[in-house]
Amino acid sequence: MVDNSNPSVSTAMQVVDSLSDIGRAMPFVAPAFILLKIIIDIEQRAQEVDAKCSDLVERITFMISHLPILEKIEIMPSTRQVIERMNEAIKSAAALIAAYRKQSRVARRLSISNREKFTQCAEAINICCHDLLMSLQIHQSTQLEILTRDVPIDDDDKAAQTFVEEHGGSVDAVMYDRELVKEFAQQQHLVMDDSVMEQLNQNIADSVQQNQQRFEGILQDNVKTAIADSLKSIAAEMHASEAEQRFKCVQCDKEFTNSSNGPKACSYHRAEYDSWSRSFPCCSTSHPCQFAAHRSKHHCDYPYGNFFPRSRGVLNYTDTNEEWASVEDTNLETDEVQKASVGQLYRWVSRGARVEENTLLITIGRVWYKYPYYFSTFTAKELEDITKSVRLSRRTLIFRTSADENEYALAEWILSISGKITGVRLTAKAATSPQPYVRVCPIDLASCTRSGEILTLSEGGMRSYTPASP
Ligand SMILES: [Zn+2]
Ligand SMILES: [Zn+2]
């Protein structure tokens, strides 16, 4: 299975195939072949060619292609040391490529410091390669520019850099701002969901280190046997441990993997099936009316049928949640209601199991496919991530039902001077009210609980009058 679309991988495969005899004869160079084989496997399964990965593959292939000379010379202890360092450098490169390829395409591009990691890796390989050429007494090579060139930057990386520059120049401010990340994903026609934000919050160095340990284990188990089996068992083992994670889509209930997902991979209805009228109220046909990317986690970026039984299961019962504060204003002419609330989620289903962590619940608008709505929960960990994002972006708005200044409901985070979330402000205003109704719920970030009395900042307009007695 030669990947013709990526010449650097095809060349690497040829080198591995033609040189594995040397690994068999000299087990101390075998790790280099095994690791290059691991890299080839990762690159073959990758969805697209990436200039930084190809560059590392080429450097490593170039270095390894000099090893046949080992068979003709007497091997000195200094040469063995160089080979050991070479094995380590290739292991670091394999670990980096594996971690990088695990990032989604959006996260990979916006993690602009990735390029530094590739540069460090390339430098380590270059130094090893120089030492190797010296100790093998190879003096000149026409391909030496491989070692002196810069790590390439491709169009997608450039697009990410330009995007960051256009938005203030701070990578952090973009990376932690969900709205900006979403905008970048849209601009690049890439899939955006909450896993992208999680990946951007994670440090790639951690997963590089995990990979190094994993590869160390594979090497220990395989150096003797794998060479004899022409590296085939390594590939099988890698596939088993790297088998792509399967997710279940919350919109269409189908299984998907990141590589099978795409901007139009999922089809679904905006509204849920109505068993009484035996139809979908969104489009009145049985064929899905919407197309988007599969999503593994529930979200309120846009309506989809499966969302509503879930939100209703919470909102229509009293044992599922406790309301801390709410605002509501009714338009006296149209009877349209603007509302928002904040509280604690106890369980997702009435009489079901209680959620394990303290969970904040924020609801804005009427949760129905025809209206703009927001229904989302937050654990302490999620609030901490949001704090980071809000502190950098100063984007405190959680959601607003309408841009109309006269009629809207909204919720926003309240920050302390040091940039910590200390509460949620709720606002509701109907066009028939002269003033909005505004309340503040103080929140303790660490415990994800209400931390004080609800403040009413503005009583707002004429809310529906309820007589004390009929
Ligand atoms: Zn539909
Ligand atoms: Zn789907």
Side-chain angles (χ1 to χ4, degrees):
M1 190 180 72
V2 176
D3 186 352
N4 292 319
S5 64
N6 191 343
S8 58
V9 170
S10 327
T11 312
M13 283 182 78
Q14 283 162 15
V15 167
V16 166
D17 287 345
S18 64
L19 299 191
S20 56
D21 280 351
I22 299 171
R24 217 165 297 166
M26 282 174 267
F28 68 98
V29 294
F33 295 106
I34 296 174
L35 289 162
L36 181 55
K37 179 74 175 104
I38 288 174
I39 294 173
I40 290 170
D41 265 20
I42 296 170
E43 284 299 290
Q44 277 184 323
R45 275 177 292 135
Q47 285 169 272
E48 78 275 279
V49 175
D50 187 286
K52 293 192 292 302
C53 294
S54 298
D55 172 70
L56 268 189
V57 170
E58 282 167 25
R59 286 175 208 258
I60 294 166
T61 309
F62 173 69
M63 179 162 67
I64 285 184
S65 68
H66 291 95
L67 294 177
I69 212 165
L70 286 171
E71 288 190 309
K72 295 178 197 130
I73 60 166
E74 190 194 348
I75 294 157
M76 311 300 277
S78 61
T79 307
R80 284 189 77 127
Q81 275 177 11
V82 171
I83 302 270
E84 267 159 37
R85 289 215 320 273
M86 174 187 82
N87 291 340
E88 280 302 309
I90 302 176
K91 192 165 74 193
S92 305
L96 175 63
I97 289 175
Y100 179 73
R101 286 298 194 181
K102 267 237 163 95
Q103 286 186 332
S104 68
R105 293 163 80 170
V106 179
R108 198 185 298 160
R109 297 309 173 188
L110 283 178
S111 304
I112 285 174
S113 64
N114 278 344
R115 192 159 181 276
E116 264 164 55
K117 303 243 166 24
F118 274 86
T119 303
Q120 285 162 8
C121 233
E123 278 165 9
I125 303 249
N126 293 354
I127 292 168
C128 277
C129 195
H130 272 297
D131 293 352
L132 186 73
L133 295 183
M134 292 260 282
S135 88
L136 299 181
Q137 301 192 325
I138 297 169
H139 293 298
Q140 201 44 271
S141 169
T142 48
Q143 274 182 291
L144 229 50
E145 65 87 24
I146 275 192
L147 303 184
T148 51
R149 72 186 181 195
D150 282 338
V151 169
I153 179 159
D154 56 28
D155 288 346
D156 293 333
D157 283 340
K158 262 187 223 148
Q161 268 184 3
T162 309
F163 188 84
V164 167
E165 277 154 27
E166 281 169 2
H167 292 86
S170 156
V171 180
D172 278 359
V174 172
M175 259 170 62
Y176 297 116
D177 187 337
R178 196 177 191 280
E179 291 307 309
L180 284 184
V181 174
K182 209 158 108 185
E183 197 181 314
F184 176 72
Q186 265 163 7
Q187 190 193 79
Q188 298 296 308
H189 309 288
L190 297 172
V191 175
M192 166 72 192
D193 61 25
D194 288 333
S195 65
V196 171
M197 294 314 290
E198 272 168 37
Q199 287 168 358
L200 285 169
N201 276 305
Q202 278 161 6
N203 188 350
I204 194 172
D206 295 340
S207 72
V208 169
Q209 204 179 356
Q210 282 166 13
N211 288 338
Q212 275 190 340
Q213 282 163 3
R214 196 157 57 94
F215 294 155
E216 189 61 45
I218 292 179
L219 288 177
Q220 272 169 7
D221 294 346
N222 290 287
V223 162
K224 289 195 186 87
T225 54
I227 293 298
D229 293 346
S230 316
L231 303 171
K232 278 198 184 99
S233 61
I234 295 278
E237 188 173 331
M238 280 296 295
H239 277 290
S241 69
E242 285 272 292
E244 211 183 350
Q245 206 180 344
R246 302 191 73 82
F247 304 96
K248 191 176 172 198
C249 176
V250 295
Q251 295 165 170
C252 69
D253 297 321
K254 291 194 187 93
E255 277 203 356
F256 69 99
T257 60
N258 281 333
S259 55
S260 69
N261 202 2
K264 298 259 184 268
C266 178
S267 52
Y268 59 93
H269 284 279
R270 277 165 63 83
E272 70 184 296
Y273 182 71
D274 178 9
S275 54
W276 190 76
S277 69
R278 295 192 185 176
S279 66
F280 290 91
C282 45
C283 59
S284 73
T285 75
S286 59
H287 300 294
C289 54
Q290 302 295 314
F291 298 92
H294 292 298
R295 300 283 294 259
S296 61
K297 283 185 185 166
H298 281 289
H299 63 86
C300 39
D301 292 342
Y302 47 80
Y304 55 94
N306 284 351
F307 191 82
F308 304 105
R310 182 169 164 275
S311 59
R312 202 171 48 231
V314 172
L315 295 174
N316 288 9
Y317 299 87
T318 50
D319 67 327
T320 52
N321 72 101
E322 180 193 328
E323 194 178 272
W324 291 336
S326 68
V327 294
E328 191 169 326
D329 202 5
T330 306
N331 186 311
L332 298 177
E333 283 156 16
T334 63
D335 275 347
E336 291 273 357
V337 175
Q338 295 293 332
K339 58 180 182 178
S341 69
V342 56
Q344 187 171 359
L345 177 81
Y346 291 137
R347 37 182 68 84
W348 282 103
V349 177
S350 178
R351 291 189 237 170
R354 200 169 156 128
V355 294
E356 283 169 12
E357 289 174 85
N358 284 344
T359 306
L360 196 72
L361 171 66
I362 297 179
T363 312
I364 308 160
R366 191 174 151 202
V367 187
W368 186 231
Y369 77 98
K370 279 186 185 169
Y371 305 105
Y373 62 85
Y374 184 88
F375 171 91
S376 192
T377 60
F378 304 89
T379 59
K381 168 76 179 68
E382 286 163 337
L383 280 183
E384 202 183 294
D385 289 346
I386 286 172
T387 294
K388 207 188 285 177
S389 158
V390 172
R391 189 186 309 154
L392 287 160
S393 66
R394 294 278 148 184
R395 210 186 285 272
T396 52
L397 183 67
I398 299 167
F399 184 79
R400 180 180 176 126
T401 54
S402 158
D404 184 345
E405 283 298 322
N406 287 315
E407 187 150 297
Y408 60 89
L410 66 83
E412 52 206 326
W413 303 112
I414 297 174
L415 301 186
S416 66
I417 293 165
S418 64
K420 215 173 89 180
I421 289 176
T422 56
V424 174
R425 178 167 35 231
L426 307 171
T427 309
K429 186 182 182 306
T432 49
S433 304
Q435 295 297 324
Y437 187 11
V438 185
R439 301 185 90 180
V440 166
C441 176
I443 282 164
D444 179 62
L445 185 69
S447 63
C448 206
T449 52
R450 189 177 100 176
S451 63
E453 290 304 308
I454 305 301
L455 302 171
T456 301
L457 298 187
S458 159
E459 279 285 353
M462 312 197 285
R463 288 184 309 287
S464 332
Y465 170 68
T466 316
S469 56

